[in-house]
Amino acid sequence: MLAQILQTASVVIAAASFVYGIGSWRRAAIGQKRVDLAVEGIIAFRQVEQAFREIRSPFSHDHEGATRKPRNGETESDAKLNQQAYVAMERMNARSEKFAKLQSLRHQFEAYYGKDALEPFDSVLSIQNEIVRASYLLEIHWKKQGKQFESQEAFDAHLTKMHAAEAIFWDRYEEPDPINPRVDEVMRKVDEICRDVIEPSRNIAVVAKNVRKRFRRFWLCK
Protein backbone atom coordinates (compact mmCIF):
# COMPACT_ATOMS: atom_id res chain seq x y z
CA MET A 1 0.00 0.00 0.00
CA LEU A 2 2.78 2.38 1.05
CA ALA A 3 4.70 1.50 -2.07
CA GLN A 4 1.72 2.39 -4.23
CA ILE A 5 1.31 5.70 -2.43
CA LEU A 6 4.99 6.52 -2.88
CA GLN A 7 4.84 5.51 -6.52
CA THR A 8 1.77 7.68 -7.10
CA ALA A 9 3.39 10.59 -5.28
CA SER A 10 6.52 10.28 -7.36
CA VAL A 11 4.46 10.33 -10.54
CA VAL A 12 2.58 13.43 -9.35
CA ILE A 13 5.82 15.17 -8.37
CA ALA A 14 7.42 14.28 -11.71
CA ALA A 15 4.38 15.60 -13.58
CA ALA A 16 4.33 18.76 -11.50
CA SER A 17 8.05 19.29 -12.10
CA PHE A 18 7.51 18.81 -15.82
CA VAL A 19 4.65 21.32 -15.90
CA TYR A 20 6.64 23.80 -13.81
CA GLY A 21 9.63 23.33 -16.10
CA ILE A 22 7.51 23.97 -19.17
CA GLY A 23 6.04 27.07 -17.51
CA SER A 24 9.48 28.37 -16.59
CA TRP A 25 10.77 27.76 -20.10
CA ARG A 26 7.72 29.49 -21.56
CA ARG A 27 8.15 32.51 -19.27
CA ALA A 28 11.84 32.70 -20.12
CA ALA A 29 11.09 32.43 -23.87
CA ILE A 30 8.46 35.17 -23.69
CA GLY A 31 10.76 37.34 -21.63
CA GLN A 32 13.55 36.93 -24.16
CA LYS A 33 11.16 37.71 -27.01
CA ARG A 34 10.09 40.91 -25.24
CA VAL A 35 13.72 41.95 -24.91
CA ASP A 36 14.58 41.08 -28.52
CA LEU A 37 11.51 42.96 -29.75
CA ALA A 38 12.40 46.00 -27.65
CA VAL A 39 15.91 46.12 -29.13
CA GLU A 40 14.54 45.68 -32.65
CA GLY A 41 11.97 48.40 -32.00
CA ILE A 42 14.51 50.94 -30.76
CA ILE A 43 16.66 50.33 -33.85
CA ALA A 44 13.67 50.66 -36.21
CA PHE A 45 12.47 53.89 -34.61
CA ARG A 46 15.98 55.35 -34.62
CA GLN A 47 16.22 54.67 -38.34
CA VAL A 48 12.89 56.39 -38.94
CA GLU A 49 14.00 59.32 -36.77
CA GLN A 50 17.05 59.74 -39.00
CA ALA A 51 14.86 59.33 -42.09
CA PHE A 52 12.69 62.27 -41.02
CA ARG A 53 15.82 64.43 -40.59
CA GLU A 54 16.98 63.53 -44.09
CA ILE A 55 13.53 63.94 -45.68
CA ARG A 56 13.11 67.45 -44.27
CA SER A 57 16.67 68.62 -44.86
CA PRO A 58 16.60 72.05 -46.58
CA PHE A 59 19.67 71.14 -48.62
CA SER A 60 18.78 69.66 -51.99
CA HIS A 61 20.32 69.00 -55.40
CA ASP A 62 19.13 70.02 -58.84
CA HIS A 63 18.23 66.45 -59.80
CA GLU A 64 16.01 65.85 -56.76
CA GLY A 65 12.32 65.53 -57.50
CA ALA A 66 13.06 64.33 -61.03
CA THR A 67 11.26 61.01 -60.44
CA ARG A 68 7.97 62.90 -60.39
CA LYS A 69 5.90 62.24 -63.50
CA PRO A 70 4.69 65.46 -65.19
CA ARG A 71 0.97 65.92 -65.74
CA ASN A 72 -0.63 66.42 -69.13
CA GLY A 73 -0.74 70.06 -70.13
CA GLU A 74 1.70 71.11 -67.42
CA THR A 75 3.85 74.10 -68.34
CA GLU A 76 7.61 73.95 -67.97
CA SER A 77 7.63 76.52 -65.14
CA ASP A 78 4.88 74.66 -63.26
CA ALA A 79 6.74 71.38 -63.74
CA LYS A 80 9.86 72.85 -62.14
CA LEU A 81 7.92 74.14 -59.13
CA ASN A 82 6.09 70.85 -58.76
CA GLN A 83 9.39 68.98 -58.96
CA GLN A 84 10.69 71.06 -56.05
CA ALA A 85 7.54 70.30 -54.09
CA TYR A 86 8.08 66.60 -54.75
CA VAL A 87 11.55 66.46 -53.15
CA ALA A 88 10.27 65.35 -49.74
CA MET A 89 8.02 62.74 -51.36
CA GLU A 90 10.94 61.38 -53.37
CA ARG A 91 13.11 61.18 -50.27
CA MET A 92 10.36 59.43 -48.34
CA ASN A 93 9.89 56.90 -51.15
CA ALA A 94 13.63 56.21 -51.13
CA ARG A 95 13.37 55.36 -47.42
CA SER A 96 10.11 53.45 -47.63
CA GLU A 97 11.73 50.23 -46.40
CA LYS A 98 12.55 51.84 -43.06
CA PHE A 99 8.95 52.94 -42.55
CA ALA A 100 7.61 49.56 -43.71
CA LYS A 101 9.97 47.75 -41.33
CA LEU A 102 8.76 49.88 -38.45
CA GLN A 103 5.08 49.30 -39.17
CA SER A 104 5.71 45.54 -39.47
CA LEU A 105 6.48 45.57 -35.73
CA ARG A 106 3.18 47.24 -34.84
CA HIS A 107 1.12 44.13 -34.02
CA GLN A 108 3.99 42.52 -32.10
CA PHE A 109 4.33 45.62 -29.93
CA GLU A 110 0.61 45.53 -29.19
CA ALA A 111 0.77 41.82 -28.32
CA TYR A 112 3.76 42.07 -25.98
CA TYR A 113 3.46 45.61 -24.56
CA GLY A 114 -0.24 46.50 -24.83
CA LYS A 115 -2.28 49.01 -26.83
CA ASP A 116 -0.49 52.01 -25.31
CA ALA A 117 2.62 50.90 -27.22
CA LEU A 118 0.85 51.73 -30.50
CA GLU A 119 0.99 55.48 -29.88
CA PRO A 120 4.50 55.97 -31.36
CA PHE A 121 3.50 54.05 -34.50
CA ASP A 122 0.40 56.22 -34.96
CA SER A 123 2.49 59.36 -34.47
CA VAL A 124 4.96 58.31 -37.16
CA LEU A 125 2.13 57.72 -39.63
CA SER A 126 0.60 61.08 -38.75
CA ILE A 127 3.89 62.90 -39.37
CA GLN A 128 4.34 61.09 -42.68
CA ASN A 129 0.84 62.11 -43.78
CA GLU A 130 1.46 65.74 -42.86
CA ILE A 131 4.66 65.87 -44.92
CA VAL A 132 2.83 64.34 -47.89
CA ARG A 133 0.00 66.87 -47.50
CA ALA A 134 2.50 69.74 -47.28
CA SER A 135 4.06 68.56 -50.53
CA TYR A 136 0.72 68.72 -52.34
CA LEU A 137 -0.14 72.10 -50.80
CA LEU A 138 3.16 73.63 -51.92
CA GLU A 139 2.40 72.63 -55.50
CA ILE A 140 -0.61 74.91 -55.22
CA HIS A 141 0.84 77.75 -53.17
CA TRP A 142 4.16 78.16 -54.99
CA LYS A 143 2.38 78.53 -58.33
CA LYS A 144 0.33 81.41 -56.87
CA GLN A 145 3.43 83.44 -56.08
CA GLY A 146 3.72 86.51 -58.28
CA LYS A 147 0.03 86.44 -59.20
CA GLN A 148 -2.55 89.07 -58.37
CA PHE A 149 -4.81 88.60 -55.35
CA GLU A 150 -8.20 90.13 -54.74
CA SER A 151 -7.03 91.91 -51.62
CA GLN A 152 -4.16 92.24 -49.18
CA GLU A 153 -6.06 89.98 -46.81
CA ALA A 154 -6.22 87.25 -49.46
CA PHE A 155 -2.50 87.61 -50.12
CA ASP A 156 -1.70 87.46 -46.40
CA ALA A 157 -3.85 84.33 -46.03
CA HIS A 158 -1.98 82.76 -48.95
CA LEU A 159 1.40 83.53 -47.35
CA THR A 160 0.26 82.10 -44.01
CA LYS A 161 -0.79 78.81 -45.60
CA MET A 162 2.32 78.61 -47.75
CA HIS A 163 4.69 79.27 -44.84
CA ALA A 164 2.86 76.72 -42.68
CA ALA A 165 3.32 74.07 -45.38
CA GLU A 166 6.97 75.02 -45.84
CA ALA A 167 7.58 74.70 -42.10
CA ILE A 168 6.41 71.08 -42.27
CA PHE A 169 8.16 70.37 -45.56
CA TRP A 170 11.58 71.73 -44.53
CA ASP A 171 13.51 71.73 -41.30
CA ARG A 172 14.85 75.27 -41.19
CA TYR A 173 16.41 74.80 -37.77
CA GLU A 174 14.14 77.48 -36.37
CA GLU A 175 11.95 77.42 -33.28
CA PRO A 176 9.24 76.47 -32.93
CA ASP A 177 9.47 73.65 -35.47
CA PRO A 178 6.16 71.80 -36.01
CA ILE A 179 7.72 68.36 -36.58
CA ASN A 180 10.96 67.89 -34.63
CA PRO A 181 9.39 68.07 -31.13
CA ARG A 182 6.86 65.43 -32.18
CA VAL A 183 9.63 63.14 -33.45
CA ASP A 184 11.47 63.69 -30.16
CA GLU A 185 8.31 62.76 -28.24
CA VAL A 186 7.97 59.58 -30.30
CA MET A 187 11.50 58.59 -29.36
CA ARG A 188 10.91 59.47 -25.70
CA LYS A 189 7.84 57.22 -25.63
CA VAL A 190 9.65 54.37 -27.40
CA ASP A 191 12.58 54.65 -25.02
CA GLU A 192 10.18 54.56 -22.08
CA ILE A 193 8.50 51.39 -23.37
CA CYS A 194 11.59 49.52 -24.49
CA ARG A 195 14.16 50.50 -21.88
CA ASP A 196 11.91 49.23 -19.09
CA VAL A 197 11.92 45.84 -20.85
CA ILE A 198 15.63 45.77 -21.66
CA GLU A 199 16.72 47.16 -18.28
CA PRO A 200 14.18 45.96 -15.68
CA SER A 201 16.61 46.98 -12.94
CA ARG A 202 15.61 50.54 -13.73
CA ASN A 203 12.10 49.80 -12.47
CA ILE A 204 13.51 48.34 -9.25
CA ALA A 205 15.72 51.37 -8.75
CA VAL A 206 12.78 53.73 -9.26
CA VAL A 207 10.65 51.81 -6.77
CA ALA A 208 13.47 51.80 -4.22
CA LYS A 209 13.98 55.52 -4.69
CA ASN A 210 10.28 56.22 -4.12
CA VAL A 211 10.27 54.04 -0.99
CA ARG A 212 13.23 55.96 0.40
CA LYS A 213 11.47 59.26 -0.27
CA ARG A 214 8.29 58.13 1.46
CA PHE A 215 10.27 56.75 4.41
CA ARG A 216 12.13 60.04 4.74
CA ARG A 217 8.90 62.07 4.60
CA PHE A 218 7.36 59.77 7.23
CA TRP A 219 10.14 60.44 9.73
CA LEU A 220 10.19 64.17 8.98
CA CYS A 221 6.48 64.40 9.71
CA LYS A 222 6.80 62.61 13.07
Side-chain angles (χ1 to χ4, degrees), residues 50-67:
Q50 180 61 32
F52 278 133
R53 309 295 185 202
E54 294 168 354
I55 289 167
R56 299 183 65 235
S57 172
F59 305 105
S60 61
H61 306 287
D62 292 338
H63 68 275
E64 283 195 292
T67 58

Side-chain angles (χ1 to χ4, degrees), residues 133-151:
R133 183 172 182 271
S135 177
Y136 286 122
L137 287 175
L138 288 178
E139 280 194 15
I140 299 171
H141 296 315
W142 282 345
K143 284 182 287 189
K144 289 182 178 180
Q145 286 292 90
K147 294 185 178 180
Q148 293 293 326
F149 286 82
E150 296 178 357
S151 63

Side-chain angles (χ1 to χ4, degrees), residues 140-173:
I140 299 171
H141 296 315
W142 282 345
K143 284 182 287 189
K144 289 182 178 180
Q145 286 292 90
K147 294 185 178 180
Q148 293 293 326
F149 286 82
E150 296 178 357
S151 63
Q152 183 63 40
E153 289 77 10
F155 178 66
D156 291 341
H158 155 71
L159 287 180
T160 299
K161 293 177 181 178
M162 185 180 72
H163 291 158
E166 288 174 342
I168 293 172
F169 191 79
W170 283 319
D171 182 356
R172 294 182 171 178
Y173 311 109

Side-chain angles (χ1 to χ4, degrees), residues 63-126:
H63 68 275
E64 283 195 292
T67 58
R68 174 187 176 274
K69 296 180 180 179
R71 300 188 184 95
N72 292 332
E74 196 173 53
T75 65
E76 184 177 351
S77 60
D78 283 352
K80 288 182 179 180
L81 288 175
N82 293 341
Q83 181 174 321
Q84 294 175 18
Y86 191 72
V87 168
M89 294 282 291
E90 185 177 76
R91 292 174 179 177
M92 192 179 296
N93 291 337
R95 294 159 180 80
S96 60
E97 288 186 5
K98 294 181 180 180
F99 290 99
K101 171 60 178 177
L102 177 67
Q103 292 303 327
S104 72
L105 300 176
R106 180 185 178 92
H107 295 306
Q108 294 183 65
F109 262 64
E110 181 180 12
Y112 283 94
Y113 310 135
K115 289 187 177 181
D116 288 345
L118 296 181
E119 183 181 336
F121 294 89
D122 293 337
S123 296
V124 167
L125 282 175
S126 177

